[in-house]
Amino acid sequence: MISKIQRRNKIKARIRGKISGTAARPRMTVFRSNKQIYVQLVDDLAGKTLAATSSKGIEEGTKIEIAAKVGEAIAKKALEAGITEVVFDRNGYLFHGRVKSLADAARKGGLKF
């Protein structure tokens, strides 16, 4: 029997085989733990993180509302860095709940993906 972690790693590898970030269109990758959510904009060609933010320090609201605030924050940081388009990497997580909330808020903030 395959565990949840092994399943996610298989999905993650399949996704990462297809997408890659550049300086003009970085990869927006999401990591979700039980308590926090983290997001980074990564230039895979140079191996650099261009911008990052997390839910640490945001305490009010549900996890989905907090994820939306993180999405707005990363969109703001990206626009300040001159980035308008990204490639979304859900990192093997299903696209619902906190991941979807973060993505929708980033779109509302001005990012295109």
Side-chain angles (χ1 to χ4, degrees), residues 5 8 12 14 19-21 25 30 32 34 38 40 43 45 55-56 58 62 73 77 81 85 89 94 96-97 101:
I5 295 170
R8 186 180 143 252
K12 182 178 174 177
R14 188 168 57 235
I19 65 171
S20 180
R25 194 168 181 206
V30 175
R32 189 189 64 162
N34 286 337
Y38 307 85
Q40 297 182 59
D43 176 3
L45 299 177
S55 62
K56 289 189 174 188
I58 304 173
T62 64
K77 282 187 178 184
E85 288 192 22
D89 178 8
L94 297 177
H96 67 82
S101 174

Side-chain angles (χ1 to χ4, degrees), residues 8-69:
R8 186 180 143 252
N9 285 335
K10 276 179 68 174
I11 295 169
K12 182 178 174 177
R14 188 168 57 235
I15 292 168
R16 286 289 289 123
K18 295 176 187 175
I19 65 171
S20 180
T22 63
R25 194 168 181 206
R27 178 172 54 96
M28 182 171 141
T29 184
V30 175
F31 176 74
R32 189 189 64 162
S33 71
N34 286 337
K35 293 186 177 182
Q36 308 292 338
I37 190 159
Y38 307 85
V39 63
Q40 297 182 59
L41 298 178
V42 180
D43 176 3
D44 290 315
L45 299 177
K48 287 188 171 183
T49 298
L50 305 175
T53 191
S54 72
S55 62
K56 289 189 174 188
I58 304 173
E59 296 177 8
E60 47 186 69
T62 64
K63 289 181 183 179
I64 291 176
E65 292 167 352
I66 290 171
K69 291 176 186 176

